[in-house]
Amino acid sequence: MKIVKTVSAIREEVRKIKAEGRSIGLVPTMGFLHEGHLSLIEAARAKHDVVMVSIFVNPLQFGPNEDFERYPRDLDRDERLARNGGVDILFCPGVEEMYPGETAMTIHVTKGIDVLCGASRPGHFDGVATVVMKLFQLTAPDEAFFGQKDAQQVAVIMNMVETFNVPVEIISCPTVREEDGLAKSSRNVYLTEEERQEAPFLYQALQKTAERAQAGERSREQLLQFLTGQLEGGSGAIDYVDVLTYPALEQQEKLAGRIIFAVAYHYTHARLIDNIIIEIEGEEA
Amino acid sequence: MKIVKTVSAIREEVRKIKAEGRSIGLVPTMGFLHEGHLSLIEAARAKHDVVMVSIFVNPLQFGPNEDFERYPRDLDRDERLARNGGVDILFCPGVEEMYPGETAMTIHVTKGIDVLCGASRPGHFDGVATVVMKLFQLTAPDEAFFGQKDAQQVAVIMNMVETFNVPVEIISCPTVREEDGLAKSSRNVYLTEEERQEAPFLYQALQKTAERAQAGERSREQLLQFLTGQLEGGSGAIDYVDVLTYPALEQQEKLAGRIIFAVAYHYTHARLIDNIIIEIEGEEA
C-alpha cells in the first residue's frame, strides 16, 4: 500500500493509473476507520483495479462549536486496517495541503439542506460538497463509495455530481451495525458505558417506526409522533427526528415511494445519527 | 469537425480521445465568434491533439436586467468559422441540456469580486465559475484558453481551478483588437455608427494611463484620476475605471508588480470592457 500525502504526489499516482487504463474506486473518509469503512473498501475492491482511501478530517464541514479538534484520529491504526483491507493507495493530506491559501470560493448547497443535519449544522454540507469536489478532482475515481448512515451526505454528493457533471458514480452502501444494532461510527468511542448500553434504542425506534409504515400506516404525522415517542425516556436529547422522501428529502403527508426515517441524538460527548430507508407502496404525491 | 449537442455524446467523445492518449485544448465561448476567439483556437491548435470549442450562452451569468435574451447568436456562422479554424469538436448544448433540473447548488465566489465587473454584475462570477466547472468536467481538457479582455474572469477561473484542484491549465491569451484599437467583442455589433467611431478612445485612455505609469507615476490615485479624465467627453457613461494588482485585484496606493488598468463603459445598447496589464518595477507592498 502506498501512502500519499501531497496533492502533487496523488496527481502523479492517478496519472500513472489512468495511463494504464485501470479503474479507480475511492472511499473518502475522515479516518478512525471502523467496519463501516471496511465494508466500503470491500465494495470498491470487488469492482475496481485500484482502491484508494482518503483520510482527511475536513475543517470546512465542522461548525465553530462542533468537534473538529477532538474528532478521533489514529493514523497508525488506520494504515494497518487499510493495508489489511487491501487498499492500494492511502491519501492522507494535511490541512495546509488541502487548503493552502485564503478560500476564494465554496460550493453553496441550496437544495435539500433545510432538514436533518443540514438544518442542525448550517454550512456543514457546503464544506462536505467542497472537499468531496476537491477529492474527486485529485483522485479522478470511476466510482466513490459512501455509507448510507450519512444519507443526507449521499444525497448532497449525488446532487453535486449531477449539478457539475462530475464524471464519478456515487455508490451508497448499507450501514454496518454492532451486534446490538448500533450503527458503526467513529464517534461511538465518545459514549459513556451507560450511553453505549442505551444507544441501540435509536435503531430499534427507527425499525419499529418503519415496521408501522410497512404494516400500513401512511401518515407522516402519525409516524413522526410514534418515532418521537419511542425516543422518550432516553438519557440524551433528540436533535431531530424526521420522515421524508429520499433522496429529495421532501415532506409528504401521505407517504409513498422511497422514504427515510432519520434521527440525530445528542449524548454527553457525541452526537449520533442513524436512519432507515424503505420503499412504501402506493401512489406518490 | 464534429458537432456535439448533448452531455452523453460529449462524454463519449472525451472517453475515446483519452483512451487514445490524445491531449485536449478547450476554448469555452458564448459563440458569435470573432478574431479574438479565433486566436484562442489557434493557440489551442498549436499545443493540442484535439481542439474543442464550446458555445453556450450561459443564463446563470446574466443578471435579470442584462442582455441574455438579446446576446447575439449565429450558430451557422460560428460553425463555419470553427471549421475553418481547424476545430475538431464543437460542443453547443442547449440550456435544458446544461441545466436540466432545479439548481441544487452553485459555486459562490468570495474573493476578488468586490471590484470591476464583480461589483457591477452581482452573481455574474458565480455563474461563470459554475458553468466553467461544468464544461471542464464534461470535456476534461488539458488546457483551457481564455482572452485577457475578460481579465477578471481569467482570475476567477484560475482561482476556481486552484480552489477545487481541477486538473486543467488556464491559458490567458492577449486581447485581439480592431485596427483602430477597439477590443474585439461579440457585443460590438450593438454599437451605433457614432459609438463605433468613438469607442477606440477606451483603449487609448488605458494606453496613455499605462504609459504614465511606465514613465514613473506610481500613485494609484493620480493614475485613476488621469484615466477618468481621459474618458470625459465620451458619449456614453463610465461603469467603472480601476487600477489594481493582478490577478489578486487588490488596491495598492504605490503601484509595483503586475498591475491592471481596467474600464467598463456603457453605450446605448452595449456595455464594453477593456484592460491593459503591465509590469511596474519597484518593491511590492
Side-chain angles (χ1 to χ4, degrees):
Chain A
M1 184 178 77
K2 282 189 192 173
I3 298 172
V4 176
K5 301 203 169 193
T6 66
V7 160
S8 59
I10 195 73
R11 280 209 199 287
E12 181 54 21
E13 292 298 331
V14 169
R15 198 194 54 72
K16 283 189 280 186
I17 296 163
K18 295 281 169 182
E20 292 163 358
R22 302 169 79 202
S23 74
I24 298 174
L26 173 70
V27 180
T29 82
M30 297 210 300
F32 214 72
L33 303 180
H34 53 64
E35 285 165 50
H37 301 112
L38 298 182
S39 80
L40 301 177
I41 291 169
E42 209 173 305
R45 177 86 281 159
K47 295 177 74 181
H48 293 286
D49 302 322
V50 176
V51 175
M52 286 192 195
V53 170
S54 63
I55 295 185
F56 181 63
V57 185
N58 172 35
L60 222 61
Q61 73 191 65
F62 288 81
N65 300 315
E66 292 183 2
D67 57 353
F68 174 67
E69 292 298 338
R70 58 182 191 75
Y71 192 87
R73 293 160 170 93
D74 187 343
L75 199 54
D76 289 342
R77 185 171 155 282
D78 287 343
E79 277 183 33
R80 208 167 52 241
L81 288 169
R83 204 181 297 270
N84 292 342
V87 172
D88 299 292
I89 295 180
L90 188 67
F91 178 49
C92 40
V95 171
E96 267 304 303
E97 192 67 19
M98 289 295 277
Y99 301 114
E102 195 191 332
T103 306
M105 58 195 76
T106 58
I107 294 179
H108 180 51
V109 183
T110 53
K111 195 183 151 195
I113 46 125
D114 53 343
V115 292
L116 308 183
C117 295
S120 300
R121 306 181 68 185
H124 170 67
F125 286 114
D126 290 1
V128 169
T130 299
V131 79
V132 172
M133 176 64 98
K134 287 168 70 74
L135 290 169
F136 284 1
Q137 299 302 308
L138 287 169
T139 62
D142 296 275
E143 295 186 324
F145 297 77
F146 294 88
Q148 189 206 294
K149 183 172 76 75
D150 302 309
Q152 191 174 17
Q153 170 172 281
V154 173
V156 166
I157 291 167
M158 282 175 169
N159 267 335
M160 184 194 80
V161 158
E162 207 178 298
T163 301
F164 297 111
N165 304 102
V166 185
V168 178
E169 275 312 311
I170 304 305
I171 311 294
S172 175
C173 297
T175 302
V176 176
R177 300 179 179 283
E178 305 288 351
E179 273 184 29
D180 58 12
L182 177 64
K184 299 258 182 185
S185 165
S186 304
R187 289 181 171 105
N188 288 351
V189 296
Y190 289 126
L191 299 175
T192 67
E193 206 173 311
E194 293 72 25
E195 289 171 346
R196 176 64 192 80
Q197 287 290 317
E198 178 188 281
F201 91 126
L202 297 172
Y203 182 52
Q204 288 156 17
L206 292 168
Q207 275 184 307
K208 282 181 207 158
T209 312
E211 277 162 21
R212 285 223 154 187
Q214 271 161 332
E217 177 62 75
R218 291 285 179 275
S219 158
R220 173 173 179 271
E221 197 50 44
Q222 290 294 322
L223 291 166
L224 255 181
Q225 231 169 64
F226 178 79
L227 177 54
T228 309
Q230 292 296 307
L231 297 174
E232 269 163 25
S235 66
I238 294 173
D239 180 7
Y240 64 71
V241 293
D242 216 336
V243 178
L244 299 164
T245 61
Y246 190 83
L249 301 179
E250 286 167 351
Q251 294 186 9
Q252 193 184 48
E253 287 323 311
K254 190 164 170 294
L255 300 172
R258 210 163 175 219
I259 301 296
I260 184 168
F261 301 84
V263 58
Y265 198 80
H266 282 292
Y267 279 118
T268 319
H269 298 295
R271 174 177 168 281
L272 303 185
I273 60 173
D274 202 355
N275 68 78
I276 289 181
I277 298 174
I278 61 169
E279 293 289 336
I280 298 185
E281 278 178 36
E283 252 176 69
E284 291 185 48
Chain B
M1 185 178 77
K2 282 190 190 171
I3 297 171
V4 176
K5 302 204 168 193
T6 67
V7 160
S8 59
I10 193 73
R11 281 210 198 287
E12 182 53 20
E13 292 297 331
V14 169
R15 199 195 53 71
K16 283 189 279 184
I17 296 163
K18 295 281 168 182
E20 293 164 357
R22 302 169 80 201
S23 74
I24 298 174
L26 173 70
V27 180
T29 81
M30 298 209 301
F32 214 71
L33 303 180
H34 52 65
E35 285 165 50
H37 301 112
L38 298 182
S39 78
L40 302 177
I41 291 169
E42 209 173 305
R45 178 85 280 159
K47 294 176 74 180
H48 294 286
D49 301 324
V50 177
V51 175
M52 286 192 194
V53 169
S54 64
I55 295 184
F56 181 63
V57 184
N58 173 35
L60 223 60
Q61 73 192 63
F62 288 80
N65 299 316
E66 293 183 1
D67 58 352
F68 173 68
E69 291 301 337
R70 59 181 191 77
Y71 192 87
R73 293 160 170 91
D74 188 343
L75 199 53
D76 289 342
R77 185 172 154 280
D78 287 343
E79 277 183 34
R80 207 167 52 242
L81 288 169
R83 202 181 298 271
N84 292 342
V87 171
D88 299 292
I89 296 180
L90 188 68
F91 178 49
C92 41
V95 171
E96 267 304 303
E97 192 68 17
M98 289 295 277
Y99 301 114
E102 195 190 334
T103 306
M105 59 195 77
T106 58
I107 294 179
H108 180 49
V109 184
T110 54
K111 196 182 149 194
I113 46 123
D114 52 344
V115 293
L116 308 182
C117 295
S120 300
R121 306 181 68 185
H124 170 66
F125 287 113
D126 291 1
V128 168
T130 298
V131 80
V132 172
M133 176 65 96
K134 288 168 70 74
L135 291 170
F136 284 1
Q137 299 302 308
L138 287 169
T139 62
D142 297 274
E143 295 186 322
F145 297 76
F146 293 88
Q148 188 205 296
K149 182 172 76 75
D150 301 310
Q152 190 174 18
Q153 169 172 282
V154 172
V156 166
I157 290 167
M158 282 176 170
N159 267 335
M160 184 195 80
V161 158
E162 207 178 299
T163 300
F164 297 112
N165 304 103
V166 185
V168 178
E169 277 307 314
I170 305 304
I171 310 294
S172 174
C173 297
T175 302
V176 176
R177 301 179 179 282
E178 305 287 352
E179 272 183 31
D180 58 13
L182 177 65
K184 299 257 182 184
S185 165
S186 304
R187 289 181 171 104
N188 288 351
V189 294
Y190 289 127
L191 299 175
T192 66
E193 204 173 313
E194 293 73 25
E195 288 171 345
R196 176 62 192 81
Q197 288 291 317
E198 177 189 281
F201 90 125
L202 297 172
Y203 182 51
Q204 288 157 16
L206 291 168
Q207 275 184 308
K208 282 182 209 158
T209 312
E211 276 162 22
R212 284 222 156 188
Q214 272 162 330
E217 178 62 76
R218 292 284 178 275
S219 157
R220 173 172 179 272
E221 197 49 45
Q222 289 295 324
L223 290 166
L224 256 180
Q225 230 171 67
F226 179 79
L227 177 53
T228 309
Q230 292 296 308
L231 297 173
E232 269 162 26
S235 66
I238 294 174
D239 180 7
Y240 63 72
V241 292
D242 216 337
V243 178
L244 299 164
T245 62
Y246 190 83
L249 301 179
E250 286 166 351
Q251 294 186 10
Q252 193 184 49
E253 289 321 312
K254 189 166 170 294
L255 301 173
R258 210 161 176 223
I259 301 296
I260 185 169
F261 300 84
V263 58
Y265 197 81
H266 281 293
Y267 278 118
T268 319
H269 298 296
R271 174 178 168 282
L272 303 186
I273 60 174
D274 201 354
N275 68 78
I276 290 180
I277 298 174
I278 60 169
E279 294 288 338
I280 298 186
E281 278 176 38
E283 253 176 69
E284 290 187 47

